[in-house]
Amino acid sequence: MEGLLASKRLVQLAVSMILPGSTLGVLGGGQLGRMFAQAAQSLGYRVHIFEPAADCPASAVANRTFTAEYQQVEELSLFAKSCAAVTYEFENVPVEPLWKIESLTRLLPHSGVLEICQNRLREKTWLKKSGFPHVPFAEVEAHEDLAAAARRVGLPCVVKTADFGYDGKGQKKVTDDASLAAAVTAFQGVRAVIERFIDFKCELSVIVARNEAGESRVFPIAENIHTKHILDFSIVPARVSAAVAREAEALAVAIAERIGLVGLLAVELFLTDRGELLVNELAPRPHNSGHWSLDGGRTSQFEQHVRAICGLPLGDPSVREPSVMVNILGDAWINPATGQETAPDWGAVLSYPRAKLHLYGKKEPRVGRKMGHFTVTADSVEGALETARVLKEKLRRASS
Ligand code: AMP
C-alpha cells in the first residue's frame, strides 16, 4: 500500500518536474549562488547566473554568467528564456524585474514571497496578520514619529531600516534619550521599523523546503551564535528541548504553507527566557545557518532547494553527524595590531580529519565580509563545538 502511495506521489510530481539536463537560473552571484550551482550541477543541471558585479563567486562555477543590472530588460529576458526555472540567492533583488522573469519562465519562490520578505515592515505586518508569533514592533510612518514610536514600543528597542537590511546593517539599538536622539538623526529620510529589544536565551533558525505538490521537509533546528550581528557559529542539532524543536518545526511548515512557498525558506527565531519562540526574520532562499548540511546532513540545503524548485521528491534533511559551522570573515586575514593582511593558516582546518573547509573565491578580504566557512562534525554537539572553537582560534592566530 505504501509503495503504491509513493509511486502515485511520483506520478503527481512528474507532471511538473524539471529534469536533470535542464538549465536553472540564479539571480545573484554570491556564495549562495555558487553553492547552489555546485549542487545543481552534481545533479546534472546546467546553471546560469545573473549578477550586476563582474567576477562574482558564482561565475567561477556557472555554465554561463549574464553580467548586467537587474533593470536591463533585454539581458534579463535573454537570461530568463535560457532557463527552465529561475530562483534568487538574496532578498534585495528589485521586484519589477522579477515580474518580467515570471512572464517568461518559472520563478521560484514566487515573486509575492520575495515581496513580503524583502521589506521588514511588510514581513512583520504579514506575520502579525497571519497570526504567527513575532517581535513586537511599530511602524515609523513619518520621520518625526520615530521618537514617539520608540516610546510606544518601549526602551530598549532596535530601529531598523524597512528595506535592504541584513547582518545587522541599517539597525541601531536605542537604550536612552541620547541613543534615541542619535537614531533620529541617523534614520532621517529612511523608512524604518522599531522593534522591542528581545533579551533572548538563544537564536535559532529552521529551514523548510516545500515543492509544488505541497510536500514539506524541515531541516533540524540550528542554534546560532552571532558576533557583531553576523553569524559566527551554527550548532546542529540545537541544544533545545524536543518540545521547542517540534514547535519551531511546526511553525516553519505553517509559515511555508501560508506564504505559498515553493523552494526553500529560512525562519530566524528568538527563544526567550520564558520559552517563547518569536520570528525575527524570513529568508526565502538557502541560509548561512544551513551550510552545515553540506557536510553533516544527509541532503544539503542547496540540493534540497534544487529538488524543491524542480518539483522532484524532497531529500532526507536529517543530521548524519552533529555539526558546527563557523563563518570565516575577512577579519581572519587582518592583523588587528598592524592592520596588515596575511592569509590564514588553512592547514589548521585542513589537517583536522573531521573538518571541511569551504572558500568562496572572493579576492578581497574585508572586515565583516563572508569569505568562507568550515564545518566540524563529531560524535556529540559539545565535541564539535569545542573543536570548532579551537580551529577558529588557530586560523586567527596564524594571521596575527
Ligand atoms: P537582523 O539583521 O534583523 O537579522 O539582525 C541581526 C542580529 O541582530 C540578530 O540575529 C540578533 O542577534 C540581533 N537583533 C536583531 N533584532 C533584535 C531584537 N529586536 N532584539 C535583540 N536582538 C536583535
Side-chain angles (χ1 to χ4, degrees):
M1 186 66 187
E2 248 179 42
L4 198 68
L5 283 177
S7 59
K8 220 170 150 188
R9 208 190 88 209
L10 262 180
V11 171
Q12 274 170 356
L13 285 170
V15 174
S16 57
M17 268 189 201
I18 297 170
L19 293 171
S22 312
T23 300
L24 305 177
V26 187
L27 292 165
Q31 63 267 20
L32 299 176
R34 177 182 168 107
M35 291 184 273
F36 172 90
Q38 288 164 333
Q41 287 166 342
S42 70
L43 280 170
Y45 292 90
R46 292 173 56 79
V47 177
H48 290 177
I49 299 286
F50 191 99
E51 159 70 50
D55 202 15
C56 59
S59 65
V61 302
N63 297 91
R64 184 170 171 192
T65 304
F66 294 73
T67 309
E69 295 298 326
Y70 293 114
Q71 287 77 5
Q72 280 179 244
V73 177
E74 262 175 46
E75 198 67 4
L76 198 74
S77 304
L78 217 59
F79 161 76
K81 285 179 192 159
S82 74
C83 302
V86 169
T87 188
Y88 37 86
E89 59 128 38
F90 75 134
E91 287 95 304
N92 297 339
V93 184
V95 78
E96 291 80 4
L98 296 184
W99 297 333
K100 178 77 203 165
I101 292 173
E102 243 167 4
S103 71
L104 297 168
T105 187
R106 276 157 82 162
L107 176 82
L108 297 167
H110 304 294
S111 61
V113 175
L114 188 77
E115 234 177 317
I116 292 171
C117 298
Q118 72 180 186
N119 174 284
R120 288 189 202 274
L121 188 57
R122 271 201 295 277
E123 184 175 280
K124 285 173 187 304
T125 308
W126 182 85
L127 287 166
K128 188 175 173 182
K129 201 181 70 199
S130 311
F132 294 116
H134 56 278
V135 179
F137 70 99
E139 177 181 356
V140 181
E141 282 181 38
H143 173 251
E144 309 81 68
D145 295 341
L146 198 146
R151 294 219 169 78
R152 233 173 23 249
V153 168
L155 302 191
C157 64
V158 186
V159 187
K160 299 181 176 180
T161 53
D163 299 292
F164 305 131
Y166 66 97
D167 285 346
K169 289 189 174 66
Q171 60 175 271
K172 266 198 182 331
K173 186 174 171 187
V174 170
T175 51
D176 52 19
D177 285 348
S179 50
L180 180 56
V184 169
T185 309
F187 284 82
Q188 199 137 26
V190 177
R191 286 203 305 161
V193 52
I194 299 185
E195 285 177 10
R196 184 172 305 156
F197 180 80
I198 306 295
D199 199 9
F200 49 75
K201 193 168 150 198
C202 68
E203 291 190 72
L204 304 171
S205 57
V206 198
I207 298 174
V208 55
R210 189 166 177 270
N211 62 18
E212 208 124 44
E215 181 192 22
S216 297
R217 290 271 189 283
V218 186
F219 283 90
I221 318 302
E223 176 185 343
N224 301 320
I225 301 175
H226 292 77
T227 303
K228 294 186 191 155
H229 299 284
I230 302 178
L231 184 65
D232 203 354
F233 295 87
S234 274
I235 302 162
V236 180
R239 296 166 296 175
V240 294
S241 69
V244 166
R246 270 198 306 274
E247 193 186 327
E249 281 177 23
L251 185 57
V253 171
I255 290 174
E257 282 173 2
R258 183 66 188 253
I259 210 164
L261 176 77
V262 179
L264 214 62
L265 176 84
V267 181
E268 296 178 16
L269 298 161
F270 295 141
L271 177 64
T272 69
D273 281 334
R274 289 186 303 169
E276 228 182 334
L277 284 170
L278 300 174
V279 177
N280 171 37
E281 226 171 49
L282 305 176
R285 53 165 170 80
H287 193 259
N288 198 168
S289 68
H291 292 357
W292 66 272
S293 60
L294 284 164
D295 303 304
R298 292 201 163 79
T299 305
S300 83
Q301 63 164 344
F302 300 100
E303 176 179 338
Q304 196 77 313
H305 186 51
V306 174
R307 285 171 175 258
I309 65 172
C310 290
L312 306 180
L314 298 175
D316 173 1
S318 63
V319 175
R320 206 169 32 78
E321 287 177 313
S323 307
V324 172
M325 190 263 352
V326 182
N327 264 340
I328 303 172
L329 304 182
D331 311 42
W333 273 252
I334 296 152
N335 182 323
T338 62
Q340 275 182 336
E341 223 181 271
T342 340
D345 176 11
W346 302 124
V349 172
L350 292 170
S351 58
Y352 185 75
R354 291 175 80 176
K356 292 283 183 192
L357 179 66
H358 299 260
L359 293 173
Y360 308 146
K362 296 182 185 177
K363 295 201 178 71
E364 210 185 310
R366 286 194 300 269
V367 171
R369 187 176 198 206
K370 291 174 184 169
M371 303 295 289
H373 72 267
F374 68 88
T375 299
V376 176
T377 58
D379 297 336
S380 69
V381 155
E382 288 72 23
L385 185 56
E386 199 182 315
T387 308
R389 288 195 197 280
V390 171
L391 295 183
K392 187 183 172 189
E393 247 340 276
K394 282 191 179 171
L395 271 187
R396 205 183 284 147
R397 231 177 277 141
S399 62
S400 57

